[in-house]
Amino acid sequence: MSITVVGSIAYDAVHTPFGSRERMLGGAATHFSLAASLFGTVRPVGPVGGDFADREMAVLRTRGTIVDDVQVVPDGTTFFWAGRYGWDLNSRDTLDTELGVFGEFEPQLSDAARNCDVLFLANIQPTLQASVLDQCTNPRWVGLDSMNFWIDSARRELVEVIERVDCVVLNDDEFRLLTGQASLAAAAREILALGPTAVIAKQGKYGAVLFTSEGFFALPAYPLETVIDPTGAGDAFAGGVAGYIAAQREREVDHTMLSLAMAYGTAVASFNVEEFGTERVARLTLDEVNGRVRDLHRMTQFPHPSPEETLA
Ligand code: AMP
């Protein structure tokens, strides 16, 4: 049930139509860890600077997350990202990305982090993702996320890591950018041909879709009346997916398991966007998540068309 994740641990400046935060805890590994900690023991891997406050480290430790592999670089600066969302919260502009301590970081994983059951390579330099993957002994399942920033600046390195993982989780636009394919199905086929057995495309407020050799599955996002800050929704989704898989211990990760894992990811992500940053998921319970998974199950059923009901 142990989960290792490498990815950014950050300070974010975020502007949404509903408010802003100048400096809040963020980062892909942070949002992922908070979500996955609902399901198992999480070890985030990554550096932070001397500016990283104890308060933030305490949030990272939520639900027993082990921070032994978070390296504090006293004279360095924590990764910083600034973004602005438009009225359509599905689109955002990156205003600033400052790698800070990630520029020099060479991961050295603890034995416990190397021996993880599930490994997630969250959004960060592909060379760091590869180094962490190299150090892990034999994870049962490996997932990967990335973003346009890395597709543009380190495409070859990213493709080399993709060839070695079980599942690639990107958003629609990123799949198109990576493959040059206009059709998502064609992009997914291209990624599956590289080696992964599953492709999950995140579609923001429209939900997420899964492609495997066994077929296709689509799940809408949980319907919400209030969305305050979508930052980290993709990472919380991935944390829910990976966490659910970790909780399934020895079982084979097939299409059916991934579709239920997506429901867990969708449910956790829906809480993430209801408040700024990590605020909501930090106090989330598994009971609340189970409730929304049951709702999603109910919402996505429709009757099997019997012969009389099938229109001729
Ligand atoms: P998401 O909204 O799921 O795409 O994730 C947003 C989080 O990713 C923010 O908390 C940022 O700190 C982090 N982030 C933004 N840009 C990058 C990048 N180029 N590499 C790694 N993490 C990033």
Side-chain angles (χ1 to χ4, degrees):
M1 304 239 317
S2 70
I3 304 156
T4 292
V5 57
V6 62
S8 52
I9 301 168
Y11 278 118
D12 288 349
V14 172
H15 298 260
T16 84
F18 310 106
S20 61
R21 293 284 188 279
E22 288 312 317
R23 193 171 164 82
M24 67 179 178
L25 174 62
T30 304
H31 287 287
F32 177 96
S33 296
L34 276 147
S37 66
L38 287 154
F39 305 87
T41 305
V42 188
R43 290 182 177 79
V45 175
V48 294
D51 57 341
F52 197 73
D54 291 347
R55 193 178 56 241
E56 268 81 66
M57 197 65 99
V59 177
L60 207 49
R61 285 202 186 93
T62 298
R63 290 181 285 270
T65 290
I66 296 171
V67 297
D68 296 356
D69 291 272
V70 176
Q71 191 186 316
V72 182
V73 183
D75 54 355
T77 312
T78 302
F79 182 104
F80 176 74
W81 175 78
R84 181 185 296 278
Y85 293 83
W87 271 106
D88 173 4
L89 289 170
N90 247 30
S91 64
R92 76 173 172 213
D93 292 325
T94 289
L95 306 176
D96 196 4
T97 302
E98 292 171 22
L99 288 182
V101 284
F102 270 101
E104 306 284 303
F105 180 56
E106 289 177 15
Q108 279 299 327
L109 271 62
S110 63
D111 286 346
R114 286 171 199 257
N115 291 329
C116 60
D117 177 40
V118 164
L119 172 63
F120 198 78
L121 308 172
N123 189 13
I124 199 59
Q125 286 104 314
T127 47
L128 289 183
Q129 295 179 313
S131 162
V132 168
L133 180 54
D134 288 342
Q135 292 178 52
C136 287
T137 44
N138 191 19
R140 183 167 59 97
W141 186 82
V142 182
L144 172 143
D145 190 0
S146 191
M147 73 183 285
N148 52 2
F149 187 88
W150 304 113
I151 297 171
D152 287 335
S153 63
R155 178 195 214 89
R156 185 175 51 79
E157 293 87 345
L158 177 60
V159 170
E160 280 170 15
V161 202
I162 286 176
E163 288 169 353
R164 302 172 57 200
V165 306
D166 297 300
C167 180
V168 179
V169 187
L170 295 175
N171 68 34
D172 269 22
D173 290 348
E174 292 160 350
F175 275 117
R176 273 190 280 273
L177 186 65
L178 180 62
T179 61
Q181 296 280 1
S183 142
L184 185 58
R189 186 160 36 76
E190 208 171 281
I191 301 294
L192 292 172
L194 293 174
T197 51
V199 163
I200 296 177
K202 297 173 286 180
Q203 303 176 322
K205 66 183 178 191
Y206 303 113
V209 296
L210 166 71
F211 297 87
T212 67
S213 59
E214 293 173 71
F216 172 81
F217 173 70
L219 195 66
Y222 191 87
L224 294 172
E225 293 204 8
T226 310
V227 176
I228 298 292
D229 172 22
T231 310
D235 310 306
F237 171 83
V241 170
Y244 178 81
I245 290 169
Q248 297 306 304
R249 295 181 182 254
E250 313 287 294
R251 286 183 51 210
E252 190 201 342
V253 185
D254 59 10
H255 187 88
T256 307
M257 187 191 292
L258 280 168
S259 57
L260 186 47
M262 276 172 59
Y264 274 88
T266 300
V268 180
S270 71
F271 288 103
N272 189 88
V273 303
E274 289 183 308
E275 293 180 27
F276 270 99
T278 54
E279 289 166 17
R280 181 64 181 94
V281 180
R283 53 170 211 282
L284 186 59
T285 66
L286 201 48
D287 270 358
E288 291 175 304
V289 176
N290 283 326
R292 286 198 179 173
V293 169
R294 281 193 293 272
D295 290 344
L296 281 166
H297 184 259
R298 192 171 33 77
M299 289 168 196
T300 53
Q301 300 298 305
F302 65 91
H304 187 272
S306 61
E308 322 64 90
E309 284 158 337
T310 306
L311 300 178

